[in-house]
Amino acid sequence: MIEKQNIRALNEEELIKWLANYGEKKYRANQILRWLWVKGETSFNKMTDIPKTLIRKLEESFFIDCITIEKYIQSYDSTVKALFKTYDNFFFEGVVIPDEKRATACISTQIGCPIKCKFCATGQLKFQRNLTVGEIFQQVVELNNLSVLLFNKVITNVVVMGMGEPLLNLTNTIGALEKIKMYDKINITDRKITISTIGLPDKILELSRINNNIKIAWSLHSPFQTIRESLIPIAKKYSIQDIIQAFKVSKFKQPITIEYVLIENVNDSENDVKELIKIASQFRCKINLIPFNKIENCDFTSPSLLKIKTFQQKLVEKNFIAIIRKSKGTDINGSCGQLANKFY
Ligand code: SAH
């Protein structure tokens, strides 16, 4: 028996080639791709303008790498976290964050994460594999369905800030974002998409060549190379200066967001803010301060709100845009760094 291929991994050319083998017309490829990416259809049976004989051939040759919502949980602040199951029985999470005007989908790109940041619950999970284009795409489809069901709001923004390091799965992430822009139930443009990364210089440059309209957030977390390395093991490979250089060379149209998780007595001193200012002065950016969210097996704590506001004030005094990111969904382990497939 021939092993079935994942149809959502095929491009138009490959599909046309497959169709030609069966004597099928080229335009069928367009019809099928439209069902998959514009309609978000996950069953060949429902592709109503495709003849039954062709549907049977499709079913014999292909599978669709479907994800299903295993369960979801809602925070007292409305944030919803969904647990997804893949066709090969892995689990990962996605989040919907509604506010007055928007509904933001926070999506994952990997199952587990190979980066292993000391302060992040996803890093404590075993890295299993990259998510596919279809899985990343469908996450937004499913989160949009949840958002419409629970809040009567379609997804207006996508942040790639869930599980995993998107730039280690760049091809699939970019591929999926392109498909998300095609999906007919939502209206997402590049400017409504933010990719958050630990900062991999080559990949930053590669991404900027593919799409420089998208927003980039950089997880810096300490302006000191040694402290950063102690928090983020992969930082040993890439110096802060190399990453800054990549941002300077890349031609992203929108300012880079520097993400800075504030951890008591680790990166919250006056010296830290002074050095952070030196870094932020080197390229067009704004700063997001994220109070550390509590996770299991980790002794870090967040500084007091007063200390966080003082830190922010020092940045504002130097004319930086610095905001304190409100933690949403902390009670359901749905905030930054808390995603670890735990539903209790
Ligand atoms: N791998 C990417 C995507 C994850 S985004 C990245 O590192 O940027 C999630 C954001 O939440 C990152 O800025 C990450 O550093 C931050 N984060 C991780 N653990 C956290 C925690 N316990 N509290 C607050 N923020 C955390």
Side-chain angles (χ1 to χ4, degrees), residues 106-107 109-110 113 115 117-122 160-167 195-199 217-221 232 258-263 288 290-295 298 300 325 327 335-339:
C106 174
I107 60 170
T109 51
Q110 297 184 309
C113 182
I115 302 273
C117 297
K118 292 285 191 298
F119 46 82
C120 178
T122 306
V160 188
M161 295 191 180
M163 295 171 146
E165 168 49 49
L167 297 198
I195 296 186
S196 179
T197 176
I198 210 67
W218 173 29
S219 294
L220 174 62
H221 307 326
I232 309 162
I258 292 181
E259 293 174 288
Y260 196 98
V261 175
L262 275 162
I263 308 172
N288 261 6
I290 316 171
F292 170 75
N293 294 311
K294 201 89 201 107
I295 59 162
C298 177
F300 291 148
R325 190 186 286 172
S327 285
S335 283
C336 291
Q338 293 187 316
L339 302 185

Side-chain angles (χ1 to χ4, degrees), residues 129-197:
R129 67 166 172 82
N130 284 335
L131 289 173
T132 62
V133 171
E135 288 166 338
I136 300 170
F137 164 82
Q138 200 188 335
Q139 229 181 126
V140 177
V141 172
E142 302 295 339
L143 292 175
N144 183 58
N145 290 343
L146 261 186
S147 184
V148 169
L149 176 78
L150 298 172
F151 314 119
N152 201 20
K153 261 189 196 141
V154 295
I155 293 294
T156 56
N157 297 68
V158 173
V159 296
V160 188
M161 295 191 180
M163 295 171 146
E165 168 49 49
L167 297 198
L168 288 180
N169 187 15
L170 182 58
T171 310
N172 290 355
T173 300
I174 288 296
L177 292 172
E178 288 307 311
K179 306 299 185 199
I180 288 161
K181 288 190 275 178
M182 290 165 67
Y183 182 50
D184 68 353
K185 292 216 178 83
I186 57 179
N187 184 17
I188 296 285
T189 56
D190 286 329
R191 301 175 71 84
K192 302 283 179 189
I193 298 171
T194 306
I195 296 186
S196 179
T197 176

